[in-house]
Amino acid sequence: MKKLLIALLLIIVVVGGLAYYYLSSINSIVEEQIEKHGSNTLQTNVDVGGVNIKLIEGLGEISDFSIANPKGFSDNTALGFKKVRLDIDTKNITEMPIIIEEILIDSVSTLYELNAAGKGNLNALLDQISSQEKTPNKQEEAPSSESDLRIVIQKLTIKDTQLALDLSAIGQKKYDETLPSFTIKNIGGSEGLPPAQLSEAVGKSLLN
C-alpha cells in the first residue's frame, strides 16, 4: 500500500509539473505561433508585443500587434493595434476544437497606400494570402502535434478603425478616415481550423 501511495504521489507531482509548465509557457507559445504563421501567411513581418492568456478565467489579451508593409511599399506599418481581447470557452478546453467565443480588436490603425505602379499595399497582402492557399503545405504532410490543433472563432469584432489613405505616390493627397465597427462570425466552422489555415482566414477577413 505504501508503494502504491508513493507511486500515485509521483504521478500527481509529474502531472502537476507538466500542467504548470504548459500554463506558464502558453503565453510564449501563442506569441510564437501568431508571429510564425502570420509572417508565413502574409509573407511579411508580423510582430506581437505580448500575450497574456488566463485559461482558468477564460480570458486573454494580445498587445502591440503589427503587420509590416509588403515589399515594394514604404517602411510604415500596414496594420496594427494596441490590444486584442479574447473570450475563451473553458468548458471543453482539453477537447478539439478549441472554441474562442469572441475576439475584440479595438482601435485599429490601418494604412492603405498606393505605390508608383498604382498597386495597393493591402491588395498585395491579400494576393500573398491567396498565393499561400494555392501552395501545398509541406508541413501538413508529416504528422505533428500541431496538426491536431484546431480552433474556432465564433465572433470577431473590429471597433474604431483609423484608416490612413496615402495616395501621394500617384500625385494625390493623404486622407484620414474612421471606419464603422463590423463583426465576422464563425471563422473555422464547426470542426475548426489548424493555426496556419486560421491565420489565413483571419488575415483575409481583416483585409477584406
Side-chain angles (χ1 to χ4, degrees):
M1 179 65 70
K2 183 178 179 180
K3 290 183 178 179
L4 179 60
L5 289 175
I6 292 174
L8 288 173
L9 180 60
L10 286 173
I11 292 172
I12 292 171
V13 170
V14 169
V15 171
L18 289 173
Y20 174 79
Y21 172 78
Y22 177 74
L23 290 173
S24 63
S25 303
I26 190 170
N27 291 334
S28 59
I29 292 171
V30 171
E31 181 175 338
E32 179 185 357
Q33 291 300 306
I34 292 173
E35 292 182 338
K36 173 186 173 182
H37 291 298
S39 298
N40 288 341
T41 297
L42 295 168
Q43 299 177 49
T44 190
N45 289 333
V46 173
D47 292 315
V48 175
V51 173
N52 184 17
I53 303 293
K54 300 177 181 178
L55 278 181
I56 296 176
E57 299 176 29
L59 301 174
E61 188 174 86
I62 302 169
S63 59
D64 297 324
F65 176 94
S66 66
I67 299 173
N69 250 347
K71 292 181 180 178
F73 296 89
S74 71
D75 294 332
N76 297 318
T77 299
L79 188 148
F81 38 78
K82 288 293 183 182
K83 298 288 182 183
V84 179
R85 290 186 289 277
L86 311 176
D87 188 358
I88 306 166
D89 184 358
T90 59
K91 295 177 183 176
N92 300 299
I93 195 66
T94 59
E95 300 177 5
M96 292 297 137
I98 294 174
I99 306 296
I100 299 178
E101 295 178 337
E102 183 175 12
I103 297 179
L104 174 61
I105 303 176
D106 201 354
S107 300
V108 181
S109 297
T110 305
L111 170 66
Y112 183 77
E113 66 176 30
L114 298 180
N115 59 18
K119 177 77 173 182
N121 62 331
L122 301 186
N123 302 94
L125 289 173
L126 277 170
D127 290 344
Q128 288 170 180
I129 293 176
S130 299
S131 69
Q132 289 293 305
E133 291 176 342
K134 296 175 183 177
T135 303
N137 190 345
K138 295 182 180 179
Q139 292 180 344
E140 292 181 357
E141 297 175 1
S144 67
S145 58
E146 185 179 319
S147 64
D148 297 330
L149 178 62
R150 301 190 312 280
I151 302 170
V152 173
I153 300 174
Q154 293 182 336
K155 185 178 180 182
L156 173 64
T157 301
I158 315 293
K159 292 180 62 180
D160 299 329
T161 299
Q162 305 300 314
L163 176 64
L165 298 171
D166 186 353
L167 311 179
S168 58
I170 58 171
Q172 301 295 320
K173 297 180 179 180
K174 296 181 180 180
Y175 303 90
D176 292 311
E177 299 288 343
T178 299
L179 302 183
S181 300
F182 65 93
T183 298
I184 306 164
K185 294 185 178 180
N186 198 30
I187 302 175
S190 59
E191 298 298 322
L193 292 172
Q197 294 179 27
L198 188 74
S199 67
E200 292 176 5
V202 172
K204 181 175 288 187
S205 298
L206 285 173
L207 292 171
N208 279 333

